[in-house]
Amino acid sequence: MRESKLGALTSLLMGVSLLLTGCTPAKRPAAPVSTALPDSSSPRVYVTNEVSGNMSVIDTGTQRVLATVPLGKRPRGIHASPDGKTLYVALSGTPIAGPDVDESTLPPADKSADGIGVFDVAQNKLVRTIPGGSDPENFDVSKDGKFIYVSNEDVSAVSIIDIASGQVVKTLKMGAQPEGVKVSPEGKQVFVTSEEDGTIAVLDPEAQKIVATFKVGHRPRSIAFMPNGKLAYINAENDGGIVLVDAIRHKMLKAISLGEPGVIKPMAVLLSPDASRLYVSTGRGQQLFTVDTATNRVLGAVSVGKRPWGIALSPDGSTLYTANGPSNDVSVVSLATNTVIKKIQAGSGPWGVVVLAR
């Protein structure tokens, strides 16, 4: 009789225990983070997330995020090495400011966080960080893959980085608030925009000195050279348009309006593979414009999201990706139909975009 009661009591206690376990699952240890990605033949999109300090890796076949990889503080500019095996990312410890931010309330800059992150594509991870001068925002890589030219926004300078040694070999003063950097197709010139001055500084990479400065539109941020290197398009954010410049004689040829200044705010400019089309993101204008480079006329526009900034093309030129900062997503634009076919959630504050073939 005692054994029967004891068995019943034991069964009751076991039942209560199982019931409680079902209601309150035990905490499991966090799974280790793996940098390995599923094998895929589709190109991948790499997006720098300025606020969350990481990179979203997107598979273009499934249009899904494969991984989110830590990078460092304020990752913005992103560019690939000529062989596509390495991605370089501008990192900055300068606090994020904005039109609605009182800069006097911001903490001091963490200069130890400034640098150029070196990301190994095969390993899918950041392997080292090299100096990039003060507050690096954007940059470009030399045609031979040996040097990086970096805009140092807070000190009005452009720095030249030797990648092999990981050292800043020279820093040159230029106009205020430098941002966009672009190496010409033949590699003999580097254009750097000065947002505040509305000018382009022309850097001779061989002589390692600035050889010219010329006026363009108001608040330039981005440059796209035509393949022959003789012409270039540059955004003019505060003018609501873009400008066409003579890249050899260093002078502005034509201003091209996209919309009302202050409403349409052109940011990034990017040419199609055949250079017949120029694509322009417009920040708070929320649109992506397409311009015919033969006539310099606007062919169309599509609303892509909140404050589209960085843009990149698929290897075949059929699809364009926009980084939409405030909405933390990436728009996928079919250029054949000029429509957004999907939006993909990224990290916080997506800024720059690169697409690499597999």
Side-chain angles (χ1 to χ4, degrees):
M1 187 73 177
R2 286 180 181 178
E3 290 181 358
S4 176
K5 288 182 178 180
L6 183 60
L9 181 60
T10 301
S11 298
L12 178 61
L13 291 173
M14 287 179 66
V16 171
S17 176
L18 288 171
L19 181 61
L20 291 174
T21 301
C23 294
T24 311
K27 290 184 179 180
R28 297 180 179 178
V33 177
S34 173
T35 56
L37 295 179
D39 191 25
S40 169
S41 60
S42 300
R44 286 178 181 160
V45 182
Y46 298 85
V47 184
T48 54
N49 300 305
E50 181 182 11
V51 179
S52 53
N54 50 29
M55 177 190 291
S56 299
V57 183
I58 300 169
D59 181 275
T60 59
T62 61
Q63 307 288 20
R64 295 177 61 183
V65 174
L66 296 175
T68 300
V69 186
L71 293 176
K73 292 185 177 180
R74 288 195 77 184
R76 288 179 286 178
I78 176 172
H79 300 279
S81 60
D83 62 9
K85 294 180 179 180
T86 304
L87 288 171
Y88 300 105
V89 181
L91 304 171
S92 173
T94 298
I96 298 174
D100 302 320
V101 176
D102 180 357
E103 295 191 19
S104 66
T105 65
L106 295 174
D110 176 9
K111 304 313 292 182
S112 67
D114 290 353
I116 301 296
V118 181
F119 181 90
D120 186 288
V121 173
Q123 297 183 65
N124 197 53
K125 69 177 183 180
L126 191 75
V127 293
R128 64 177 177 143
T129 300
I130 60 178
S134 181
D135 187 24
E137 178 167 5
N138 215 333
F139 60 93
D140 203 3
V141 184
S142 64
K143 299 300 178 182
D144 60 9
K146 294 181 179 180
F147 295 94
I148 295 175
Y149 307 98
V150 185
S151 59
N152 302 127
E153 186 176 22
D154 65 343
V155 294
S156 303
V158 55
S159 292
I160 303 172
I161 316 300
D162 181 284
I163 296 174
S165 67
Q167 297 296 320
V168 177
V169 296
K170 201 162 191 178
T171 297
L172 304 165
K173 296 297 289 184
M174 58 163 290
Q177 294 186 7
E179 181 172 331
V181 185
K182 190 68 176 178
V183 178
S184 63
E186 78 290 343
K188 294 182 178 179
Q189 297 189 101
V190 182
F191 278 14
V192 187
T193 70
S194 167
E195 293 180 56
E196 188 169 314
D197 295 354
T199 58
I200 298 293
V202 182
L203 169 63
D204 180 331
E206 186 174 349
Q208 295 189 346
K209 65 180 182 180
I210 293 173
V211 295
T213 299
F214 65 100
K215 282 279 187 182
V216 286
H218 293 91
R219 208 164 178 79
R221 292 177 180 266
S222 180
I223 306 129
F225 281 98
M226 290 294 281
N228 62 11
K230 295 180 179 179
L231 299 172
Y233 290 92
I234 299 164
N235 79 302
E237 181 187 353
N238 288 356
D239 299 335
I242 54 177
V243 298
L244 178 66
V245 304
D246 184 325
I248 305 301
R249 297 180 180 179
H250 304 145
K251 66 177 184 178
M252 191 172 85
L253 298 175
K254 185 176 184 178
I256 303 163
S257 175
L258 299 181
E260 182 183 347
V263 176
I264 298 302
K265 298 173 74 69
M267 306 298 282
V269 290
L270 178 67
L271 285 163
S272 62
D274 64 2
S276 67
R277 301 288 184 267
L278 180 77
Y279 304 107
V280 188
S281 65
T282 58
R284 291 183 176 85
Q286 301 190 14
Q287 297 182 70
L288 174 78
F289 280 77
T290 301
V291 177
D292 184 334
T293 58
T295 62
N296 290 317
R297 293 182 178 176
V298 174
L299 295 176
V302 57
S303 180
V304 291
K306 293 182 179 179
R307 204 183 179 197
W309 195 296
I311 53 179
L313 285 167
S314 60
D316 64 3
S318 66
T319 307
L320 187 143
Y321 299 86
T322 73
N324 310 318
S327 54
N328 305 325
D329 57 22
V330 173
S331 292
V332 184
V333 181
S334 167
L335 296 175
T337 60
N338 201 35
T339 56
V340 175
I341 56 176
K342 191 175 180 64
K343 288 188 177 182
I344 305 167
Q345 283 299 121
S348 181
W351 197 98
V353 191
V354 162
V355 183
L356 294 180
R358 296 285 291 153

